[in-house]
Amino acid sequence: MSKSQNNLAFTDAAQHPWQPLQMDQHWPARVFDVHCTACPRLHAFHEQNRQKFPDHFNGPVPPFGPENAELLIVGLAPGLHGANRTGRPFTGDYCGDLLYSTLHKYGFATKPVSTAVGDGMALVNARVSNAVKCVPPENKPTPAEIKTCNQFISHEFKVHPPKAVLALGLVGHQAVLKAMDQKQSAFKFGHAAEHDLGAFRLFDSYHVSRYNTQTGRLTVPMFEAVLKAISHYLKV
């Protein structure tokens, strides 16, 4: 199919409804719904991008990693030309470089680089998910969108209970607390902070964004220290 035909297919949704590209895994609907349209603004943004970037995944991005993983990593949301393009969290842009190389160093990944669905890379005893499954305009989901999407993280905790959770950034931290029905004020976010939530231990890290790493807010040793602490905790 040519690029022009792809564009036509996306604009004529009645005759050519959107279908997702290849995914690493398929999940129960309560954990992940690739056809979710619950947030009108995010759905409209997907529709725009399906016309502008027909070779992108352009849909809610599924969790990546084994169902029974003891470590669950919660990020913010897909990047427009990262996970929204590849269909795998933290894959296809700068954000995933530090995350996956560090996961590999501590035995949580089979390769140090995640490039695309079908690249043969796999996570070991770890799973990566996002607080918001759809790419938001300007990388900023609204509070209402974060709240709506929280149902999926909540079910992920219940269906596949982790032993440790790593929250990347404040939004991920808050999403975890909300999913566990915990008071935000009782667990303050801070890099390398650890919180006992009863069901699991929550570890915090600054987000692995280009801005944080280029400005030195988050360095490689800082992030490795958090993964080292998690690795030690899981072995206890």
Side-chain angles (χ1 to χ4, degrees), residues 71-99:
L71 170 61
L72 175 61
I73 301 163
V74 180
L76 172 56
L80 179 59
H81 301 297
N84 181 65
R85 175 174 63 84
T86 64
R88 180 189 289 174
F90 291 91
T91 301
D93 60 13
Y94 186 85
C95 282
D97 293 352
L98 178 57
L99 174 62

Side-chain angles (χ1 to χ4, degrees), residues 13-40:
Q15 295 184 25
H16 303 277
W18 175 79
Q19 291 297 323
L21 301 178
Q22 180 183 358
M23 295 186 287
D24 285 296
Q25 298 160 265
H26 294 271
W27 297 89
R30 58 180 176 169
V31 174
F32 174 75
D33 180 6
V34 74
H35 294 289
C36 180
T37 59
C39 299

Side-chain angles (χ1 to χ4, degrees), residues 123-193:
L123 295 182
V124 181
N125 202 29
R127 187 169 67 255
V128 183
S129 196
N130 275 316
V132 177
K133 301 296 189 289
C134 295
V135 58
E138 300 181 349
N139 295 318
K140 295 179 181 179
T142 66
E145 290 161 354
I146 296 171
K147 180 179 180 181
T148 297
C149 207
N150 195 258
Q151 61 176 309
F152 295 112
I153 284 288
S154 179
H155 281 304
E156 197 167 351
F157 287 144
K158 295 173 183 176
V159 176
H160 308 293
K163 182 177 178 181
V165 174
L166 170 58
L168 299 177
L170 178 60
V171 173
H173 170 91
Q174 293 174 336
V176 172
L177 295 181
K178 181 173 180 56
M180 296 303 295
D181 198 26
Q182 297 284 352
K183 290 185 178 180
Q184 301 286 339
S185 59
F187 304 94
K188 185 177 180 180
F189 174 80
H191 182 77

Side-chain angles (χ1 to χ4, degrees), residues 94-95 98 168-170 189 191 205-220 222:
Y94 186 85
C95 282
L98 178 57
L168 299 177
L170 178 60
F189 174 80
H191 182 77
S205 172
Y206 292 140
H207 196 280
V208 290
S209 66
R210 179 187 289 271
Y211 176 82
N212 282 344
T213 55
Q214 288 190 338
T215 60
R217 178 178 174 84
L218 178 65
T219 65
V220 172
M222 287 171 63

Side-chain angles (χ1 to χ4, degrees), residues 52-128:
K52 293 172 62 177
F53 311 109
D55 59 334
H56 284 25
F57 185 81
N58 285 321
V61 175
F64 171 54
E67 296 180 1
N68 61 348
E70 291 184 298
L71 170 61
L72 175 61
I73 301 163
V74 180
L76 172 56
L80 179 59
H81 301 297
N84 181 65
R85 175 174 63 84
T86 64
R88 180 189 289 174
F90 291 91
T91 301
D93 60 13
Y94 186 85
C95 282
D97 293 352
L98 178 57
L99 174 62
Y100 285 112
S101 63
T102 308
L103 289 175
H104 178 259
K105 180 173 181 177
Y106 288 93
F108 293 108
T110 59
K111 295 181 180 181
V113 178
S114 173
T115 57
V117 172
D119 62 1
M121 188 269 204
L123 295 182
V124 181
N125 202 29
R127 187 169 67 255
V128 183

